[in-house]
């Protein structure tokens, strides 16, 4: 019906989209989720939003934006939402790659495309997004210090070498995804994920990504106080 | 031996607690735990009747007074309680997470099964 030369609507059948699922953990992001999904669906056909018991209309908005929506009956945490998304994607036998994407609009779809491309050419089994590989992202000094400390801790405990372990943008291939089992429901899941990938001996690379610190994501994002909670969850696991 | 009121109150409290714990453990409670609990209760009664027993224990392990000994024992008991409670809660959390995930995934069906947008309602599993 419409001119789909530039717009990939739900009926477009370009092969690059059909083996990839984009997993978006969703919790009270009603303000931005429609735009985020529209942006993602411009490049990837298959989007699964895991609604983690949102109190606003996030789930309905995500569904009408064209995402499959899996709804947790109540809030479990971002780590639990990611694992639910992984389970969903794994139930699709044609899935080869999964991209994890944040719902608050801080990630760029171009970065995700580039990361899946690197999986596709066989460069690695996992591609981690890193905001510290170039100068495009500009976290505040406090945030930078916390993220550096977090990645230092993660590297130390998981025998991996990363520059940014707490980035929500990742691309993971199916064989690795099958081995991942996130048990940290809260925010410590990022380190747990890295640890499991490190233990699985999968090959990984980092991909420079641009984190857009909009006023919205800044207001919603992790406060510095929460980093203390993350640290505690990591140590007490 | 002269029994003071506080001793009666404390003994009653210990017995009540022990009975309650025994009752609430259910059929699968391990005998070891029950025996341990009985011994603990006996020790509690014993030490209420003869508070000096704590002094003796304290002297054996090299702590000054019996009251200090009781305090230390309490701290250790409290810490182990905190730990077991934490572990139990974490186990519980893992269980209900699995349950909630299963529910959520069943509700929405398999990726290529239906193209309809999921509502909050039962979605029949079309096991083709």
């Amino acid at each position: 019906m419409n001119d789909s030369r530039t717009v990939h609507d739900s009926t477009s059948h370009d092969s690059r989209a059909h083996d990839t699922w984009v997993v978006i953990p969703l919790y009270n992001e009603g303000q931005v989720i429609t735009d985020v999904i529209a942006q993602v669906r411009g490049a990837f056909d298959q989007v699964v939003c895991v609604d983690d018991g949102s109190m606003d209309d996030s789930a309905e908005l995500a569904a009408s934006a064209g995402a499959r929506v899996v709804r947790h009956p109540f809030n479990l945490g971002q780590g639990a939402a990611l694992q639910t998304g992984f389970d969903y994607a794994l139930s699709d036998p044609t899935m080869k790659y999964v991209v994890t994407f944040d719902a608050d609009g801080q990630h760029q779809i171009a970065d995700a495309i580039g990361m899946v491309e690197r999986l596709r050419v066989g460069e690695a089994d996992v591609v981690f997004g890193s905001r510290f590989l170039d100068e495009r992202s500009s976290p505040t000094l406090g945030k930078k210090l916390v993220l550096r400390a977090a990645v230092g801790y993660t590297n130390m405990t998981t025998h991996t070498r990363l520059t940014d372990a707490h980035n929500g943008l990742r691309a993971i291939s199916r064989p690795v995804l099958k081995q991942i089992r996130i048990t940290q429901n809260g925010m410590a899941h990022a380190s747990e994920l890295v640890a499991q990938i490190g233990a699985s001996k999968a090959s990984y690379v980092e991909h420079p990504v641009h984190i857009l610190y909009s006023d919205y994501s800044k207001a919603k994002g992790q406060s510095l106080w929460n980093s203390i909670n993350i640290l505690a969850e990591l140590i007490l696991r | 031996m002269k029994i003071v009121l506080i001793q009666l109150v404390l003994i009653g409290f210990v017995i009540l607690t022990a009975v309650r714990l025994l009752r609430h453990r259910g059929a699968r409670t391990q005998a070891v735990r029950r025996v341990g609990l009985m011994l603990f209760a006996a020790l509690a009664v014993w030490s209420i009747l003869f508070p000096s027993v704590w002094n003796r224990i304290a002297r054996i392990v090299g702590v000054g007074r019996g009251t200090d000994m009781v305090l230390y024992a309490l701290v250790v008991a409290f810490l182990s309680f905190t730990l077991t409670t934490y572990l139990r809660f974490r186990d519980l959390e893992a269980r209900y997470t699995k349950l909630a995930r299963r529910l959520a995934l069943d509700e929405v069906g398999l990726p290529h099964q239906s193209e309809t947008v999921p509502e909050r309602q039962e979605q029949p599993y079309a096991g083709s």
Side-chain angles (χ1 to χ4, degrees):
Chain A
M1 278 305 226
N2 59 8
D3 173 19
S4 59
R5 211 159 51 83
T6 51
V7 178
H8 299 268
D9 60 28
S10 58
T11 56
S12 72
H13 283 283
D14 46 344
S15 63
R16 82 197 150 99
H18 270 280
D19 55 4
T20 307
W21 275 96
V22 178
V23 174
I24 304 181
L26 178 60
Y27 184 57
N28 294 344
E29 302 281 4
Q31 280 184 54
V32 291
I33 191 61
T34 304
D35 290 344
V36 170
I37 290 176
Q39 197 189 43
V40 172
R41 293 201 77 227
F44 298 97
D45 213 24
Q46 307 183 115
V47 179
V48 56
C49 271
V50 183
D51 175 52
D52 197 17
S54 293
M55 270 133 4
D56 62 2
D57 53 352
S58 294
E60 287 78 13
L61 290 171
S64 40
R68 297 301 298 267
V69 179
V70 181
R71 305 184 74 165
H72 283 171
F74 42 81
N75 183 253
L76 289 169
Q78 197 181 29
L82 271 181
Q83 185 60 52
T84 301
F86 291 168
D87 284 1
Y88 183 80
L90 281 168
S91 69
D92 176 2
T94 61
M95 179 276 291
K96 286 185 187 157
Y97 312 108
V98 151
V99 173
T100 66
F101 204 85
D102 282 0
D104 62 2
Q106 63 171 334
H107 295 323
Q108 315 304 305
I109 197 64
D111 291 332
I113 296 171
M115 289 163 74
V116 172
E117 209 43 55
R118 292 179 78 171
L119 287 183
R120 215 176 278 286
V121 299
E123 202 180 321
D125 304 319
V126 180
V127 182
F128 291 106
S130 171
R131 75 200 89 183
F132 294 119
L133 291 180
D134 59 26
E135 299 300 317
R136 283 181 296 167
S137 310
S138 47
T140 57
L141 183 65
K143 201 169 180 80
K144 207 182 243 175
L145 287 175
V146 168
L147 286 165
R148 290 288 190 194
V151 78
Y153 179 85
T154 304
N155 283 339
M156 203 170 69
T157 51
T158 62
H159 308 291
T160 50
R161 280 271 147 262
L162 293 174
T163 58
D164 184 6
H166 290 254
N167 195 310
L169 189 51
R170 317 169 185 86
I172 306 169
S173 59
R174 184 181 189 104
V176 180
L177 196 68
K178 276 203 274 193
Q179 297 177 49
I180 291 173
R181 190 122 294 270
I182 299 172
T183 60
Q184 295 277 343
N185 283 2
M187 293 309 295
H189 68 270
S191 294
E192 190 186 22
L193 200 86
V194 173
Q196 291 184 6
I197 288 167
S200 77
K201 305 280 179 223
S203 60
Y204 60 86
V205 288
E206 283 192 300
H207 189 80
V209 301
H210 179 202
I211 302 292
L212 196 69
Y213 292 104
S214 63
D215 289 340
Y216 177 79
S217 75
K218 266 188 239 169
K220 291 276 301 191
Q222 302 296 319
S223 75
L224 288 183
W225 286 110
N226 206 22
S227 59
I228 296 174
N229 296 335
I230 295 176
L231 199 65
E233 282 174 43
L234 280 173
I235 291 166
L236 282 175
R237 67 183 152 191
Chain B
M1 190 183 70
K2 184 171 147 264
I3 298 214
V4 284
L5 185 62
I6 184 69
Q7 289 177 317
L8 284 177
V9 171
L10 286 173
I11 289 170
F13 184 73
V14 166
I15 290 171
L16 269 180
T17 312
V19 168
R20 255 188 76 93
L21 277 175
L22 282 175
R23 284 261 174 85
H24 280 251
R25 284 286 151 182
R28 284 181 55 85
T29 309
Q30 286 162 356
V32 181
R33 186 175 294 199
R34 289 185 163 171
V35 171
L37 192 63
M38 293 311 289
L39 286 176
F40 179 78
L43 180 70
V45 173
W46 177 263
S47 71
I48 291 165
L49 289 174
F50 306 101
S52 61
V53 73
W54 281 105
N55 278 328
R56 235 174 297 148
I57 297 173
R59 236 170 289 127
I60 290 167
V61 297
V63 177
R65 293 180 308 163
T67 43
D68 294 343
M69 188 62 218
V70 174
L71 181 65
Y72 299 152
L74 204 62
V75 167
V76 171
F78 178 70
L79 280 180
S80 70
F81 170 78
T82 310
L83 186 72
T84 49
T85 309
Y86 170 76
L87 290 176
R88 197 174 303 163
F89 266 97
R90 217 182 48 172
D91 186 52
L92 210 61
E93 189 186 74
R95 283 171 194 227
Y96 76 66
T97 297
K98 268 188 193 164
L99 183 65
R101 176 171 299 136
R102 193 66 262 153
L103 279 175
L105 289 170
D106 285 353
E107 193 177 55
V108 77
L110 292 171
H112 293 303
Q113 211 163 44
S114 74
E115 287 302 320
T116 54
V117 169
E119 294 293 324
R120 255 224 194 290
Q121 63 184 29
E122 271 194 24
Q123 202 113 12
Y125 241 124
S128 63

